[in-house]
Amino acid sequence: MTHRRAVRPPRLIATDLDGTLVRSDGSIAPRTKTAVLAAQEAGSVFVMVTARPPRWLHDLADLVGAHGVAIVANGAILYDVVQRKAIRTALIDPVIALEVAQAIRTEIPEVEFAIERSNRYGQEPNYLNRWPAPADTLIAGLEVLLSEPAAKLLVRHPSWHSDDLLAKIQPLVGERVAASHSGGHSLVEISASGVSKAAMLADFAAELGIVAAETIAFGDSLNDLPMLAWAGTSYGVANAHTEVLAMVDVICPSNDEDGVATVLEELF
């Protein structure tokens, strides 16, 4: 492929968090924070575009810039981090979500499900969390979990790799929903049909009068592919999924080597 490298400071910088901007230990390096703030001071808009639910963005409020928002839940929610409220949502219809979940369970009975709503997390009783569940977690069966629209339906398998689980799930769900993964262990994330990081990012950019050619994007996993394809220049961190590394314009240092900061320092 022909590799394109941004030759001037972009108007919009979009980046994934975990595995990309965030180091493997869960921290954001001081160097990275300095580079992000410098880019914003120079006039570029910086936006976090992540699979994380809203509640996992509050500690990063100092990075969102003057606009105050982030794109979360794989593009299902445009979220005001400062005001702690959803600005716009694209949620899964409960009827479709239940049909999809039942089809998956019929074919892969050992999976367990969880959901992210705009303002609450819920899970089946036996769902295995990698992180502590919120105090107000809704613990219930599928019918109750999916009785309201959800931002994401999470499907976890006790042992399969996420790539293998996704390959099994995709033909089961077809075009009814959008299935992907963000590198989580044995986890597939399902959104409403048409929802992606790219779709919400394009809307966000359009509202600012910014086009794809004026945008750079960073990512590491399969859920980043649409965003990376949309951006004028795409960067994959060296630790990224092989499919990401195969399609990006530029491969930059890994998340643990502050790859995003390295690029921003060069551009600004």
Side-chain angles (χ1 to χ4, degrees):
M1 65 180 293
T2 300
H3 289 276
R4 303 165 296 170
R5 180 185 292 271
V7 294
R8 61 173 68 107
R11 293 186 64 197
L12 177 61
I13 303 160
T15 182
D16 171 56
L17 290 178
D18 299 294
T20 304
L21 190 78
V22 178
R23 286 182 164 182
S24 299
D25 64 3
S27 68
I28 293 182
R31 176 188 180 189
T32 297
K33 182 174 180 179
T34 297
V36 167
L37 296 179
Q40 293 181 80
E41 289 169 4
S44 289
V45 176
F46 172 83
V47 62
M48 297 178 282
V49 189
T50 178
R52 290 187 182 195
R55 64 183 178 278
W56 289 359
L57 267 290
H58 300 152
D59 290 344
L60 303 179
D62 57 342
L63 291 182
V64 298
H67 57 80
V69 305
I71 295 169
V72 303
N74 282 331
I77 304 173
L78 183 66
Y79 185 68
D80 188 320
V81 182
V82 179
Q83 299 296 323
R84 299 194 176 189
K85 65 179 182 180
I87 300 170
R88 187 161 63 249
T89 61
L91 308 179
I92 313 171
D93 179 87
V95 174
I96 294 175
L98 186 58
E99 289 176 355
V100 164
Q102 290 172 336
I104 294 170
R105 174 153 283 155
T106 297
E107 188 69 23
I108 318 170
E110 58 271 31
V111 297
E112 296 290 335
F113 294 95
I115 53 100
E116 291 283 0
R117 296 177 182 167
S118 297
N119 57 3
R120 195 176 184 190
Y121 170 76
Q123 65 170 74
E124 291 187 298
N126 295 326
Y127 184 88
L128 297 176
N129 286 290
R130 289 194 65 212
W131 313 105
D136 67 344
T137 295
L138 172 63
I139 299 177
L142 268 180
E143 289 77 9
V144 174
L145 291 177
L146 298 175
S147 62
E148 298 179 20
K152 289 197 300 183
L153 172 64
L154 308 176
V155 190
R156 190 178 292 284
H157 190 278
S159 60
W160 291 2
H161 189 281
S162 294
D163 284 348
D164 300 325
L165 183 59
L166 180 60
K168 188 72 171 181
I169 285 176
Q170 280 184 320
L172 298 176
V173 303
E175 300 298 319
R176 290 178 289 176
V177 291
S180 188
H181 78 71
S182 57
H185 296 281
S186 304
L187 180 69
V188 163
E189 304 176 32
I190 292 174
S191 305
S193 178
V195 168
S196 70
K197 291 184 174 185
M200 190 66 84
L201 178 62
D203 288 347
F204 175 76
E207 291 170 0
L208 299 174
I210 297 173
V211 298
E214 300 170 304
T215 303
I216 65 172
F218 298 85
D220 77 302
S221 201
L222 299 186
N223 62 329
D224 296 317
L225 290 172
M227 174 177 72
L228 295 170
W230 177 82
T233 304
S234 57
Y235 293 84
V237 285
N239 55 288
H241 192 285
T242 54
E243 290 189 36
V244 171
L245 296 177
M247 67 81 61
V248 292
D249 300 312
V250 183
I251 297 173
C252 63
S254 73
N255 63 323
D256 288 331
E257 297 172 309
D258 307 330
V260 175
T262 300
V263 173
L264 295 183
E265 288 165 357
E266 293 175 352
L267 290 174
F268 293 91

